[in-house]
Amino acid sequence: MTTEATGKSQGIYYGWFVYAAVCVCMFLACAFTFNTASIYYESVATAFDVGRANVGFYMTLVYATACVANLFWAGPLLQKLDLRIILSVACGLVGVALLIMSNAQSIEWFYVAGVLMGLGNAWLLWLIVPVVVGRWFKKRNGLLIGVGMACTSISGTLLAPVFSGIIQSSGWRSAYLYQAILVLVICLPLAIFVVRSRPEDKGLKPLGWEEAEATTATSAKEQPTQQEGITLKQAFKKPSTFILCCVFAGLANIGLTMNFFFPSFTTSIGYDAATGALIASTIMLSSLFGKLILGFLNDYSIVLSNIVGIVPMIIGLACMMLFGADNVAWLYFGAVCFGIFFAVQPTNVPQVARKLFGNISYDRIFTYVAVVMPLAAAVGSTFWGWIYDITGSYSGAFIIDMVIGALALVVLLASLQTRKGLWAWAEKHPEVK
């Protein structure tokens, strides 16, 4: 039995089942799009007699399509449609894309699959976890988002070696097929039968709503005019905070795409490909713990969480650039530091947006912030390689990425300052809704 008065059930709160279902979808559908993609590149390139860049272009289409989807329809549909429909369509698109890749007879079919993956991951990668957490839970949101996002890193760490073995033993087509079956057989039923859009659908209230209301009541006594958040129209009417939030999100996404080039950097300074692969794995494992740590810190201090996420990246890249060629230990140290930074985009950006704009129109506002993230990732995916092609070294790329990290912190602090003016203005203009 459930009781609406308390928002709890006599057993387990139903929101945990919704959250677990979403985490499984991240672990499978989302991770199969991004975290295991690179293990196929060499085999597919050889099969179709094309370059790796030709294979990797489908990932550019994933980001580009997600950017368009976030700009025009992903957010509004998330508000209008049942979450079961959204998540079922998202996972179905990824599953069908993997089937297409399994049966592709030319590289062009990968580009078709890339578009389908982009459509599905417009919801999966950027929107589903923060929206579900925000709707069903009113406490420990930062940690819950961190754990949800960490599912992709866990999957990459655990399943990438498994599917690499399948590629070696049965071929890349079989590996894609198995991934498609897992997504369609596990994720789709969870989306259809377990997920619910909001606590009200089960006669519940968000977990922790009592504490949230008590805090709000206390704040209201101290500041009677305080509101719960900024509406979309208010955010656009006074856009400085929104623009700075988008810039922060873009910088975080461009910065993290350096991850794609660490194996190449490692071989460029004299190490073998196996060392490069271990560096990449170290980053992935570090990002898992980074998401948990930053998620935990977000519940206490947005600024501290981002300092912990960004400063180690600056230090780590400097050590890799200056000392990595002489001692491989510095490469692993830098990889651990960069892995923590890798967690900033999926874990901290949603919480920064929530801090800046509150809960009233968070879903709608964050949808527009999410437009910037795949666009920035698409740019960064080629930008660092372009610098190397021009200079013959990754030093310039590392320096630029360190500057981007520092700028991200400055932009964050600036956005928190403009937030004060935005909220004060919104309280004086409640007619702007």
Side-chain angles (χ1 to χ4, degrees), residues 30-176:
C30 190
F32 289 166
T33 301
F34 298 101
N35 296 73
T36 64
S38 61
I39 65 175
Y40 292 93
Y41 282 15
E42 182 175 355
S43 299
V44 173
T46 301
F48 294 135
D49 193 25
V50 297
R52 291 189 181 184
N54 297 88
V55 178
F57 181 67
Y58 91 86
M59 189 58 68
T60 300
L61 292 175
V62 172
Y63 286 122
T65 305
C67 177
V68 173
N70 283 338
L71 179 61
F72 290 107
W73 64 78
L77 288 180
L78 193 58
Q79 295 297 314
K80 295 177 181 179
L81 298 180
D82 192 304
L83 190 60
R84 286 174 289 186
I85 298 175
I86 295 292
L87 195 55
S88 297
V89 170
C91 293
L93 286 169
V94 173
V96 170
L98 292 167
L99 284 175
I100 290 174
M101 297 164 88
S102 174
N103 293 279
Q105 298 303 312
S106 67
I107 193 61
E108 286 75 20
W109 284 105
F110 272 68
Y111 303 154
V112 174
V115 171
L116 297 180
M117 285 181 163
L119 293 173
N121 279 281
W123 290 302
L124 278 172
L125 181 59
W126 288 281
L127 298 177
I128 288 292
V129 171
V131 166
V132 166
V133 169
R135 289 178 180 179
W136 284 87
F137 302 92
K138 293 302 179 185
K139 61 181 181 181
R140 296 290 182 265
N141 288 33
L143 179 60
L144 290 173
I145 290 175
V147 172
M149 292 299 187
C151 290
T152 58
S153 299
I154 297 171
S155 178
T157 303
L158 297 179
L159 298 186
V162 173
F163 285 102
S164 293
I166 294 174
I167 291 172
Q168 294 177 3
S169 62
S170 304
W172 58 270
R173 293 184 185 276
S174 295
Y176 274 130

Side-chain angles (χ1 to χ4, degrees), residues 403-416:
V403 172
I404 285 175
L407 283 175
L409 275 178
V410 172
V411 170
L412 171 66
L413 296 175
S415 68
L416 292 172

Side-chain angles (χ1 to χ4, degrees), residues 170-188:
S170 304
W172 58 270
R173 293 184 185 276
S174 295
Y176 274 130
L177 178 61
Y178 295 149
Q179 287 188 337
I181 292 172
L182 287 173
V183 170
L184 296 174
V185 171
I186 296 177
C187 294
L188 271 182

Side-chain angles (χ1 to χ4, degrees), residues 26 46 53 76 88 111 141 154 159-161 176 188-189 205 238 248 257 292 307 318 328 333 374 382 384 411 422:
M26 296 295 290
T46 301
S88 297
Y111 303 154
N141 288 33
I154 297 171
L159 298 186
Y176 274 130
L188 271 182
K205 290 186 177 181
K238 300 285 286 185
F248 173 76
T257 55
L292 299 177
I307 290 174
V328 72
F333 171 76
T382 57
W384 306 118
V411 170
L422 173 63

